[in-house]
Amino acid sequence: MDEILTGWLLDVYREETSLTLWLLDDDGQRRRLTHPFPAAFYAAGPANQLRALWRWLSEQEIQVHLSRMERKDVFQGIVTVLAVEVVHAPQLDALFRRAVETYPDLTYYDGDISISLRYAARFGVFPLARCQVVVNAERVKTITALNTPWELEPAPVPLRILSIEPDRDPAQACPRHLVIRYDRIRYILPLEPARAFLISLRSTLERYDPDLILTDWGDTWLLPCLLKLSKEYNLPLPLNRAETQGVIEHQARTYFSYGQIVYKGSQVQLRGRMHIDRRNAMMWSDYGLEGVLEMARVTALPIQDAARLSPGTGISSMQFVTALRANILIPWHKHQAEQPKTALELIHTDMGGLVYQPTIGLHKDIGGIDFVSMYPGIMVRFNISPEVPRSKAGDLTPATGEPGKVPSMGIVPQTLAPLLEKRIAFKTALGNLHPKDCRREVYKARASAEKWLLVTCFGYLGYKNARFGAIESHEAVTAYGREALLRAKEAAEDLDFSILHMYVDGLWVQKPGCSTPEDFQALLAEVSERTSLPIALDGIYRWVVFLPSRVDERIPVPNRYFGVFQDGSIKVRGIEARRHDTPPFIAETQMKILAILAKAADADRLPDFLPEARQYIGQRLDELAKGRVPLAELLVSQRLSRELTEYSSPSPAARAVWQMQAEGKQIHPGQQVRFLYTRGEPGVHAWDGTESTDISMVDSNRYKTLLMRAVGTIIRPIEQHFEIMPQHSNYVLFPNQKAGPVKELGGQMPLATFLDLRGRLVQLH
Amino acid sequence: MDELIETHPGSWILVAGPRAIRATMLTLIARLAERGPVRVLDGGNQFNAYLIARQLRGQPNLLSRISISRMFTCYQVLAALEKASELPMPLVMLDFLRTFYDESVPFHERRRLVSRCIPHLRRLSVMAGGAVSIHPPAVTSSEAETLFAILAEAAAERWIQDPPAPIQQPGRLC
């Protein structure tokens, strides 16, 4: 007999021949359902090879329906393909692999799309979607989504969350107990004796039956350790809710991403429950669980994947779902190279974002205005997508393509539009919420998850493995961006504003007498009118300091500044406190100095607060000299950027790794290495090694140098502005030059430059 | 070396060496552009129009003689070669093997793709000759050596510059 269920879709994954769904129904039951589901891949190529593939497929054991049809390839238009519909979707992967091995010269489409994305595209569902499901004997007959991923406030899902964390970092020392938390319960579970520990944990898992297990170091230490113990003591642990499947383990790996080497630790995923390791989750410190769930909702990636995969994979998944719904072929490998162009054309097109160098020094009453999500906004507003022909450069009109040949909106903007709309809605809502409104944190986390997707979507257009990427589209986005920024500059100058700095999507402007948000409204309206892109006031700075190059203080550096808004909040970019490798003690000192200076009601009162700042600096130097700084506050954290054998001159991080290797610990390229600077040879102490150290070994002179450099970044420009003699003679900003007032040096014309795709500064001709 | 490399109609030469030979290849492109149109396919994001413009010393119009196309995957390299038609201009292929070092593509597949590229290198060099540069991967492997051997075997001429001596790993420092 049919049963109608409503509830939240928790997870979708494949089993032998069918799909398994986990539904949390309105009665609080966790229902394991199955859904038979066909899926297709496609092949294109010479007719004789397609015929051979057809014959070969007909002879395979896996049940398929074969047909010839025409489908749309984004890069080539309509193509004739052999459609291979696999009756049981979970069998598609194996058949596809064999087909590729047997007929490698054909062009394949839709072959490697995960089953959860196919399901999302077919039925309009997504993780945590409210669904109505008609079932018969736990077998799904129909499933209907009752909401969309674009709702700002979906109905809260009553997830049962169990948190498990060891008492210490397993990389440093062997943990002694676990801290277990769920609902309002918190208790400590000793790891020894192991049998008692396992029995107790099993009891908790059975009793509470969590949907989500949140751990610290669960991927890399805890779950592998639990599985091993469980086997050793022959005491099964119900980590999975689904008894028919084992725990899924993925090995650690190192890979290149956006020019950086990245290490991804091993992963352990569960079936029927979900496992997220906070230490191995992407952007956890930025947006936490709320952001992970939002990422899963909008990308349709299963929650355990959404927690671990990059925003680039998220964007890619969204594009796949859009393509599947629109019957657009998803190339297995992108074959399209860049269209040939002349070297002169390359110089004109491959320029990146526009940068207008800042005017060095201290400035007051500055308006910071930013285009709202500029690059995604351009992609949506101007319909930038590989299949849509471009209009001429410098013309800010949407591309429409040839009538009847392309959709009104390309696949890229079609994917991004609702995401962009949702992010803007969150930003607007956040602006209207009371500061103490409990929804603020949730909205911020969700908006942050969306921000990362939107930030990534532009780079992804030029990414080599992006199926719907094209370097020409990537270049078009920056061309529109440069044009929009130039128009904004012209608008500002027409309204008598001075431009102090421009950086890709933001401008810093100043006009005597303009110091309230209302004073900037006319400018915002004018820019929006001239560019047809939304622009907003980031804030009005009481004062802001644009910093020079460390090498030559006559040269300005883009996007390196600090300032204080009218509400007292601080904004910093490009200084020590923002760097990941700055020891916390130094970053904290720099930010505290800024907090002291932020007390000044206006820029002219800054000298009044310098004595307090200097006193604080003296205090911090004293703490350092007397060895009163906790060692953890002095830790430097750097990423190992290559194999040890590839270092021509070993960096401090490499020396720390050698120490760890000598102790038998393995560190791979892409992994973070924590160390202290110490006196003598080798000059560093690996924090995660087994040998202990004490404060007497710390190279306090080196830390003092780093501290004074960070202090100098903040204090020196202010002293220079007010022509105050430096109190600390050992600022190490410009070791080869004498200090001089910025005013004497700052008269040069700002240079307009471009940041090209490799991040080089290229002067505007 | 810069002055010695010449392209000859009907064949292509292999220029192998450390990344520093990039300058040699850019000089070659500039020199070829002074004589007429040249086609550049770039497999390793090595083309630098600014450096070439500097070498062309006050003849920026010659930049219009250089046709450039960049590839970022080994599939794109093959597709670009397949798509290119024979033209009376030399072919310069920069960092040919870079995308073929990508370990996310199975080795048998990479080897197959390299082999399929070779007839096209020959075809596109018929009218004005060609030059193909390659660099060793960051970490040497037998797979990379196999790919190199396939190319070296097919090239009419080989210019091989030895890489700098490998760096000795320091002993234990603590």
Side-chain angles (χ1 to χ4, degrees):
Chain A
M1 198 178 106
D2 288 353
E3 188 185 358
I4 299 174
L5 304 171
T6 52
W8 291 270
L9 184 64
L10 297 183
D11 205 359
V12 173
Y13 56 85
R14 67 176 205 189
E15 293 211 55
E16 193 90 341
T17 57
S18 69
L19 205 70
T20 296
L21 276 69
W22 283 91
L23 189 82
L24 165 52
D25 73 17
D26 287 349
D27 295 332
Q29 300 297 310
R30 276 70 182 165
R31 306 283 290 258
R32 181 172 182 272
L33 311 170
T34 57
H35 196 170
F37 168 61
F41 70 89
Y42 305 89
N48 59 337
Q49 285 194 45
L50 284 181
R51 274 196 296 276
L53 174 63
W54 185 305
R55 278 195 300 275
W56 180 85
L57 286 163
S58 311
E59 291 160 5
Q60 303 305 304
E61 281 177 10
I62 294 174
Q63 201 185 341
V64 291
H65 296 308
L66 302 173
S67 58
R68 181 178 175 276
M69 61 171 64
E70 291 192 327
R71 286 257 163 163
K72 182 179 167 57
D73 176 318
V74 156
F75 298 97
Q76 297 181 37
I78 302 297
V79 291
T80 302
V81 291
L82 167 60
V84 184
E85 188 183 78
V86 181
V87 174
H88 301 296
Q91 295 177 327
L92 184 142
D93 288 356
L95 184 66
F96 176 68
R97 270 199 307 273
R98 293 202 320 251
V100 165
E101 278 167 24
T102 315
Y103 297 94
D105 292 338
L106 289 170
T107 302
Y108 291 93
Y109 300 94
D110 291 22
D112 59 344
I113 309 304
S114 76
I115 205 159
S116 48
L117 291 183
R118 290 177 189 273
Y119 196 76
R122 173 84 178 268
F123 298 104
V125 296
F126 51 93
L128 304 184
R130 277 290 284 170
C131 298
Q132 186 178 73
V133 192
V134 179
V135 296
N136 190 314
E138 302 303 278
R139 197 177 156 102
V140 175
K141 292 179 82 175
T142 63
I143 180 166
T144 314
L146 301 175
N147 62 353
T148 77
W150 312 116
E151 288 178 10
L152 290 198
E153 276 195 76
V157 189
L159 286 177
R160 291 202 286 249
I161 302 173
L162 174 76
S163 163
I164 311 177
E165 57 197 273
D167 61 327
R168 58 185 66 184
D169 179 351
Q172 281 205 286
C174 199
R176 286 173 300 191
H177 60 255
L178 301 180
V179 180
I180 312 278
R181 290 191 182 93
Y182 56 93
D183 293 340
R184 290 182 180 177
I185 295 166
R186 176 187 182 278
Y187 68 93
I188 286 171
L189 188 57
L191 286 157
E192 293 288 347
R195 176 172 289 276
F197 159 73
L198 285 172
I199 290 170
S200 178
L201 186 62
R202 183 171 69 180
S203 157
T204 300
L205 288 167
E206 284 171 350
R207 198 172 53 245
Y208 185 58
D209 189 19
D211 302 305
L212 172 62
I213 301 179
L214 266 183
T215 63
D216 280 345
W217 299 289
D219 277 343
T220 49
W221 175 79
L222 180 61
L223 265 64
C225 180
L226 291 177
L227 290 167
K228 190 170 157 228
L229 278 177
S230 159
K231 198 172 169 189
E232 206 174 305
Y233 286 84
N234 197 24
L235 274 170
L237 273 179
L239 289 169
N240 272 353
R241 196 181 256 146
E243 288 159 5
T244 52
Q245 282 218 321
V247 163
I248 311 290
E249 292 185 78
H250 297 291
Q251 297 304 309
R253 66 191 179 104
T254 295
Y255 60 96
F256 273 101
S257 175
Y258 296 96
Q260 275 199 329
I261 195 151
V262 178
Y263 175 80
K264 198 84 191 137
S266 55
Q267 297 178 17
V268 182
Q269 295 201 11
L270 306 178
R271 290 293 177 244
R273 303 188 210 283
M274 295 164 283
H275 167 233
I276 297 176
D277 173 356
R278 287 175 282 226
R279 305 281 173 162
N280 202 24
M282 194 63 75
M283 312 283 181
W284 185 267
S285 57
D286 192 57
Y287 51 59
L289 180 61
E290 217 28 84
V292 167
L293 299 182
E294 180 68 3
M295 188 69 92
R297 275 192 200 96
V298 300
T299 62
L301 282 168
I303 291 170
Q304 297 184 91
D305 290 338
R308 293 168 172 89
L309 295 172
S310 66
T313 309
I315 281 291
S316 176
S317 305
M318 292 176 72
Q319 291 178 348
F320 291 171
V321 171
T322 308
L324 288 167
R325 283 185 186 150
N327 288 330
I328 291 172
L329 295 167
I330 302 168
W332 181 45
H333 292 301
K334 195 173 66 180
H335 292 266
Q336 284 64 35
E338 180 182 34
Q339 288 295 320
K341 54 181 71 144
T342 70
L344 204 56
E345 286 168 340
L346 184 71
I347 287 176
H348 288 147
T349 55
D350 187 10
M351 286 199 288
L354 179 66
V355 174
Y356 191 79
Q357 300 281 35
T359 306
I360 297 169
L362 174 72
H363 307 274
K364 52 188 176 181
D365 294 334
I366 306 299
I369 62 175
D370 286 341
F371 284 98
V372 181
S373 298
M374 185 198 227
Y375 282 175
I378 285 173
M379 288 149 81
V380 172
R381 172 76 185 92
F382 300 113
N383 196 13
I384 294 177
S385 203
E387 74 272 38
V388 184
R390 301 264 35 92
S391 55
K392 64 176 181 180
D395 178 12
L396 286 188
T397 53
T400 53
E402 295 172 56
K405 286 203 171 177
V406 291
S408 56
M409 200 182 234
I411 187 164
V412 172
Q414 212 176 318
T415 305
L416 288 179
L419 184 67
L420 181 63
E421 199 178 315
K422 189 174 184 184
R423 166 144 167 88
I424 292 172
F426 270 130
K427 281 195 86 169
T428 310
L430 277 166
N432 297 331
L433 284 182
H434 187 274
K436 289 184 178 167
D437 193 306
C438 61
R439 287 171 296 176
R440 279 191 78 82
E441 290 310 308
V442 174
Y443 278 20
K444 273 164 78 175
R446 290 179 186 164
S448 175
E450 282 148 11
K451 179 190 80 181
W452 283 111
L453 288 168
L454 290 168
V455 164
T456 310
C457 71
F458 159 68
Y460 206 68
L461 261 185
Y463 175 52
K464 64 176 184 174
N465 287 329
R467 312 295 173 88
F468 299 110
I471 194 79
E472 290 81 4
S473 301
H474 188 85
E475 289 170 350
V477 175
T478 57
Y480 277 110
R482 291 192 299 272
E483 178 64 24
L485 200 62
L486 281 176
R487 289 192 188 192
K489 174 179 174 287
E490 286 163 7
E493 286 170 344
D494 288 349
L495 294 174
D496 296 327
F497 283 90
S498 306
I499 310 292
L500 291 175
H501 184 27
M502 298 200 297
Y503 191 80
V504 184
D505 62 350
L507 300 91
W508 286 259
V509 297
Q510 187 183 41
K511 183 176 170 181
C514 284
S515 58
T516 67
E518 292 70 35
D519 296 332
F520 292 86
Q521 286 312 311
L523 173 60
L524 296 179
E526 187 60 26
V527 173
S528 201
E529 169 71 25
R530 293 192 191 188
T531 62
S532 66
L533 291 170
I535 191 158
L537 183 67
D538 185 33
I540 300 167
Y541 294 89
R542 282 183 209 156
W543 53 268
V544 66
V545 172
F546 293 113
L547 291 164
S549 155
R550 284 193 185 286
V551 181
D552 184 340
E553 65 179 323
R554 292 167 303 178
I555 299 174
V557 178
N559 212 28
R560 185 161 181 261
Y561 64 91
F562 56 88
V564 175
F565 287 113
Q566 286 181 337
D567 66 357
S569 59
I570 295 165
K571 187 166 183 178
V572 300
R573 289 290 181 272
I575 65 171
E576 288 80 356
R578 291 273 293 187
R579 290 182 59 95
H580 297 297
D581 60 353
T582 301
F585 173 75
I586 290 165
E588 193 189 314
T589 305
Q590 199 177 41
M591 290 308 291
K592 183 69 196 297
I593 294 168
L594 273 171
I596 292 168
L597 298 175
K599 290 194 270 185
D602 60 57
D604 295 335
R605 306 286 295 276
L606 276 169
D608 300 347
F609 291 87
L610 284 177
E612 188 183 338
R614 288 188 192 116
Q615 192 188 358
Y616 174 70
I617 296 161
Q619 232 178 57
R620 298 294 267 182
L621 283 169
D622 196 43
E623 285 171 33
L624 193 60
K626 291 182 176 159
R628 289 187 192 147
V629 183
L631 292 180
E633 294 288 301
L634 297 174
L635 279 181
V636 181
S637 181
Q638 288 179 356
R639 180 180 281 139
L640 187 68
S641 60
R642 62 192 85 169
E643 293 285 356
L644 280 185
T645 49
E646 293 166 31
Y647 279 92
S648 52
S649 113
S651 67
R655 280 179 272 152
V657 173
W658 278 327
Q659 286 180 5
M660 292 170 73
Q661 283 198 345
E663 293 166 6
K665 292 197 170 184
Q666 284 301 310
I667 295 285
H668 304 278
Q671 270 187 286
Q672 290 286 336
V673 186
R674 297 186 292 176
F675 59 87
L676 292 167
Y677 289 115
T678 51
R679 289 185 287 110
E681 288 296 325
V684 294
H685 172 83
W687 184 250
D688 296 312
T690 49
E691 285 179 27
S692 61
T693 190
D694 61 65
I695 193 74
S696 66
M697 292 295 293
V698 165
D699 184 352
S700 55
N701 277 338
R702 180 145 194 181
Y703 283 102
K704 186 179 168 191
T705 305
L706 292 174
L707 180 70
M708 292 315 294
R709 180 183 292 175
V711 165
T713 301
I714 306 296
I715 299 287
R716 193 161 186 270
I718 293 169
E719 287 178 341
Q720 284 180 327
H721 182 86
F722 293 101
E723 298 185 9
I724 298 167
M725 286 300 290
Q727 296 289 304
H728 291 278
S729 56
N730 51 355
Y731 293 149
V732 283
L733 264 181
F734 310 107
N736 302 322
Q737 294 183 29
K738 287 182 181 172
V742 166
K743 276 183 274 185
E744 289 176 15
L745 302 165
Q748 78 277 21
M749 290 291 288
L751 294 172
T753 55
F754 291 111
L755 275 181
D756 74 359
L757 288 177
R758 296 172 194 157
R760 298 166 309 197
L761 283 177
V762 179
Q763 194 166 333
L764 177 63
H765 301 285
Chain B
M1 183 171 174
D2 292 9
E3 298 302 319
L4 294 173
I5 296 176
E6 280 296 341
T7 57
H8 303 291
S11 65
W12 57 274
I13 56 174
L14 181 68
V15 185
R19 304 234 157 254
I21 64 164
R22 173 196 189 205
T24 304
M25 297 306 289
L26 294 181
T27 303
L28 172 67
I29 293 167
R31 197 149 40 83
L32 292 170
E34 282 175 334
R35 295 181 207 159
V38 52
R39 170 160 50 194
V40 180
L41 299 178
D42 184 357
N45 216 5
Q46 293 222 325
F47 186 79
N48 187 326
Y50 296 98
L51 289 180
I52 291 183
R54 197 178 296 161
Q55 297 201 23
L56 289 173
R57 287 187 292 273
Q59 306 173 81
N61 56 317
L62 297 189
L63 288 173
S64 300
R65 290 181 175 177
I66 303 169
S67 161
I68 162 78
S69 180
R70 295 168 293 184
M71 287 83 70
F72 303 96
T73 69
C74 48
Y75 294 97
Q76 287 182 331
V77 171
L78 175 61
L81 288 169
E82 281 177 339
K83 201 176 163 189
S85 50
E86 297 90 337
L87 293 170
M89 62 172 84
L91 166 74
V92 178
M93 175 90 218
L94 296 174
D95 204 357
F96 176 86
L97 283 181
R98 168 71 77 89
T99 59
F100 293 90
Y101 294 145
D102 181 355
E103 289 174 3
S104 66
V105 181
F107 176 62
H108 66 84
E109 178 73 348
R110 288 183 273 149
R111 192 171 53 188
R112 184 183 73 84
L113 294 171
V114 166
S115 301
R116 283 192 57 188
C117 287
I118 285 171
H120 294 290
L121 290 176
R122 204 170 295 138
R123 176 176 64 82
L124 297 172
S125 304
V126 163
M127 296 174 87
V132 175
S133 74
I134 58 166
H135 311 298
V139 181
T140 50
S141 66
S142 59
E143 294 178 347
E145 282 170 19
T146 306
L147 298 176
F148 169 74
I150 295 172
L151 267 187
E153 171 81 24
E157 241 181 279
R158 291 172 285 277
W159 291 80
I160 298 174
Q161 186 174 325
D162 288 335
I167 296 143
Q168 297 299 312
Q169 183 177 356
R172 188 179 161 182
L173 295 178
C174 56

